[in-house]
């Protein structure tokens, strides 16, 4: 009996020591690290028994390596990475998001409206129509924006890809919310823009006939682009406008999306190197979250619920995550060395906050090649504790799935730090 008690005491001591050691390794900013609320895990598991919400049930897996290994394994430098990066983009295009056509035959931009005294005089409101043409077909993308009047010279812009209702991009400002918080962004000296994904491609499975698919009118193959890639491509057309507008600092544009649009934003940022910051807000499966973990939403589920989001080839991985030769840290690494920010929400277990954090953490290996320190530990910080380096940002917001003013302020703090020359001038 005495021996058993001693053994139990030793084991408990070891356990306590292990968790203390883990805590001690976490930097102060981590606030002790994040763990999901136990009650929420229980409830969610009961509500959706086909999906896993328990960290202890994540099966061990081998994460595909970012750098090539084997015969040509060597110390990677920046030049090697540029080559490797193009391989990753190619892999993600052919197996997951689909290939996007490079250009349209005709593209023109027209200012539809301008109000130089918007928001009581503090901003200029503009609506621009981008017309995209192939043969006799045409598509119109409406780009909406507010630019701060107090900033002299070219202004950096945050571009939101919007899949929610058009009232969320309200130019009259009758509808105000944290999803597209125009007033707050203008107050901080930044421009804010947005477009509706349905202008580019409808968010429904229409056999890839409408929107940009119909515009190009190509045969649909296994590696043809899905709607997420199409929306990301739309963000690049908005970028074409920013480059052409002298009032906008096109070298300081952040592309941002929530949830499905967050997936599109990451892919847009991986392909189009003109974006300075790429922001994923609660993008989850097919976005920032590692698929190998099979935590919350899975590939099989996403492909069945949203058959139009990815390319046909991605269906090969339905319930076969182990067969993936890549994972979402490839997507984030393909953005390097440009800045990336990933945000999760504490009650959004469907999107797997740990998996979202880990993709970012593993992509840090590439950022380190460019002199950025990356993230020091593989455990996410507690909710309400934004962490990161100059080029990699992360936070978990307290609460559920959504894009809120708290998130936007963290993105602007991150931009202030990255674009500090700009931030210092506007603050004077
Ligand atoms: C969910 C989907 C997620 C996420 C979300 C959204 O139903 O499973 O992948 O994208 O929609 O876009 O709000």
């Amino acid at each position: 009996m005495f021996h058993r008690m001693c053994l139990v005491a030793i084991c408990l001591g070891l356990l306590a020591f292990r968790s203390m050691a883990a805590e001690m390794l976490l930097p102060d900013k981590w606030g002790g690290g994040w763990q999901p609320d136990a009650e929420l895990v229980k409830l969610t598991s009961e509500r959706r028994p086909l999906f896993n919400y328990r960290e202890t049930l994540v099966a061990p897996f081998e994460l595909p390596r970012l750098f090539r290994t084997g015969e040509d394994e060597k110390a990677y430098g920046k030049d090697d990475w540029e080559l490797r990066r193009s391989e990753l983009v190619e892999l993600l295009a052919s197996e997951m998001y689909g290939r996007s056509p490079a250009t349209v035959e005709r593209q023109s931009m027209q200012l539809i409206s301008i109000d130089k005294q918007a928001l009581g005089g503090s901003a200029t409101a503009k609506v621009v129509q981008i017309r995209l043409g192939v043969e006799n077909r045409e598509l119109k993308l409406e780009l909406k924006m507010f630019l701060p009047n107090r900033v002299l010279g070219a202004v950096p812009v945050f571009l939101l890809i919007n899949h929610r209702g058009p009232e969320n991009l309200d130019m009259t400002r009758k509808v105000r919310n944290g999803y597209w918080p125009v007033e707050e962004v203008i107050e901080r000296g930044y421009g804010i823009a947005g477009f509706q994904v349905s202008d580019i491609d409808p968010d429904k499975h229409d056999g890839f006939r409408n929107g940009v698919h119909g515009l190009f009118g190509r045969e649909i193959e296994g590696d043809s682009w899905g709607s997420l890639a199409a929306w990301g491509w739309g963000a690049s057309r908005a970028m074409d406008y920013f480059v052409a507008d002298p009032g906008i600092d096109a070298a300081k544009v952040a592309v941002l999306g929530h949830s499905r649009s967050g997936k599109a934003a990451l892919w847009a940022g991986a392909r189009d190197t003109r974006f300075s910051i790429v922001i994923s807000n609660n993008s989850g499966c097919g976005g920032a979250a590692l698929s190998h973990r099979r935590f919350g939403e899975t590939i099989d589920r996403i492909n069945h619920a949203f058959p139009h989001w990815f390319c046909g080839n991605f269906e090969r991985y339905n319930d076969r995550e182990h067969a993936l030769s890549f994972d979402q840290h490839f997507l984030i690494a393909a953005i390097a060395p440009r800045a990336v920010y990933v945000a999760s929400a504490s009650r959004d277990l469907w999107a797997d906050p740990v998996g979202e954090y880990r993709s970012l953490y593993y992509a840090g290996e590439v950022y380190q090649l460019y002199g950025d320190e990356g993230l020091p530990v593989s455990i996410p910080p507690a909710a309400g504790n934004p962490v990161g380096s100059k080029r990699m940002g992360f936070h978990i917001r307290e609460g559920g799935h959504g894009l809120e003013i708290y998130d936007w302020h963290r993105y602007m703090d991150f931009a202030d730090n990255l674009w500090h020359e700009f931030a210092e001038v506007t603050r004077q």
Side-chain angles (χ1 to χ4, degrees):
M1 181 67 178
F2 177 73
H3 281 117
R4 265 182 54 193
M5 276 170 66
C6 282
L7 199 65
V8 170
I10 290 168
C11 288
L12 284 177
L14 277 176
L15 274 178
F17 179 75
R18 260 186 58 183
S19 63
M20 256 170 60
E23 288 271 319
M24 269 156 47
L25 288 175
L26 290 179
D28 285 350
K29 279 188 182 168
W30 259 246
W34 182 77
Q35 283 203 348
D37 176 77
E39 190 58 25
L40 178 67
V41 171
K42 190 168 164 282
L43 279 176
T44 324
S45 306
E46 281 164 10
R47 216 179 316 130
R48 284 183 137 162
L50 297 178
F51 301 95
N52 177 38
Y53 295 97
R54 293 181 199 280
E55 200 55 46
T56 48
L57 297 183
V58 173
F61 58 85
E62 202 177 318
L63 197 65
R65 298 247 320 121
L66 277 168
F67 299 135
R68 251 187 272 106
T69 51
E71 265 176 38
D72 38 32
E73 187 166 14
K74 55 184 169 174
Y76 262 75
K78 290 182 204 166
D79 294 345
D80 306 301
W81 175 252
E82 284 304 316
L83 181 67
R84 178 68 175 141
R85 176 184 171 274
S86 57
E87 290 173 5
L88 301 194
V89 172
E90 165 61 25
L91 185 63
L92 290 163
S94 67
E95 297 297 293
M96 188 168 182
Y97 299 100
R99 288 176 208 283
S100 314
T103 49
V104 283
E105 287 168 11
R106 297 182 307 282
Q107 180 165 340
S108 64
M109 302 171 198
Q110 199 189 346
L111 186 64
I112 299 291
S113 68
I114 181 161
D115 174 5
K116 292 188 175 168
Q117 293 301 319
L119 311 184
S122 63
T124 295
K126 291 195 214 184
V127 178
V128 170
Q129 193 180 67
I130 304 175
R131 295 165 92 114
L132 305 157
V134 174
E135 294 169 7
N136 59 356
R137 299 180 293 274
E138 194 176 65
L139 203 70
K140 293 181 193 127
L141 170 64
E142 208 161 84
L143 179 61
K144 299 176 172 173
M145 75 198 86
F146 287 88
L147 305 175
N149 285 340
R150 76 184 160 98
V151 176
L152 302 172
V155 64
V157 169
F158 284 80
L159 169 69
L160 178 74
I161 304 177
N162 180 36
H163 65 272
R164 290 195 171 170
E167 70 282 1
N168 286 291
L169 300 181
D170 183 21
M171 295 302 283
T172 69
R173 304 312 298 143
K174 285 192 190 111
V175 179
R176 292 183 184 196
N177 55 37
Y179 193 75
W180 199 56
V182 169
E183 291 72 16
E184 288 83 352
V185 175
I186 292 297
E187 174 66 33
R188 289 192 60 164
Y190 290 113
I192 180 167
F195 71 92
Q196 211 50 47
V197 298
S198 52
D199 279 4
I200 292 290
D201 206 37
D203 190 6
K204 61 171 193 249
H205 193 38
D206 59 4
F208 298 108
R209 280 195 305 276
N210 300 312
V212 83
H213 288 99
L215 176 73
F216 282 95
R218 296 202 180 151
E219 283 288 303
I220 300 302
E221 320 265 358
D223 64 353
S224 299
W225 55 347
S227 298
L228 296 175
W231 303 339
W233 183 87
S236 290
R237 303 294 68 80
M239 187 70 191
D240 296 342
Y241 171 76
F242 299 145
V243 171
D245 184 337
I248 292 173
D249 186 349
K252 296 188 181 70
V253 174
V255 61
L256 144 71
H258 165 63
S259 205
R260 65 197 72 184
S261 298
K263 309 178 210 291
L266 286 170
W267 182 231
R271 291 187 67 246
D272 190 336
T273 57
R274 296 174 298 173
F275 291 110
S276 167
I277 305 181
V278 182
I279 303 169
S280 148
N281 192 86
N282 308 176
S283 64
C285 179
L290 288 177
S291 300
H292 277 83
R293 283 169 50 79
R294 287 180 58 86
F295 189 107
E297 189 170 26
T298 60
I299 294 180
D300 180 66
R301 195 281 174 178
I302 207 167
N303 277 336
H304 279 97
F306 308 100
H308 57 297
W309 281 2
F310 300 93
C311 73
N313 287 346
F314 196 45
E315 287 171 18
R316 293 178 190 157
Y317 304 101
N318 287 353
D319 281 331
R320 294 185 66 246
E321 280 82 357
H322 62 275
L324 286 164
S325 61
F326 57 92
D327 209 329
Q328 300 311 98
H329 59 314
F330 279 38
L331 176 66
I332 294 178
I335 296 167
R338 287 160 301 114
V340 62
Y341 198 114
V342 172
S344 307
S346 66
R347 302 187 69 79
D348 188 11
L349 302 187
W350 184 238
D352 185 13
V354 171
E356 295 189 304
Y357 177 79
R358 294 256 160 93
S359 293
L360 188 71
Y361 169 74
Y362 290 117
E365 206 181 348
V366 175
Y367 281 83
Q368 282 164 5
L369 282 182
Y370 290 87
D372 189 281
E373 70 255 39
L375 294 151
V377 288
S378 65
I379 298 167
N385 289 47
V387 297
S389 58
K390 185 155 188 188
R391 288 168 182 275
M392 308 189 89
F394 179 86
H395 72 252
I396 298 183
R397 174 179 44 74
E398 198 72 71
H401 191 64
L403 172 55
E404 299 183 5
I405 192 64
Y406 174 88
D407 301 303
W408 277 93
H409 278 304
R410 300 297 75 74
Y411 303 147
M412 291 189 279
D413 293 345
F414 182 73
D416 282 354
N417 189 41
L418 184 74
W419 302 329
H420 60 93
E421 312 84 358
F422 171 80
E424 275 154 24
V425 172
T426 40
R427 296 272 146 75
Q428 276 168 12

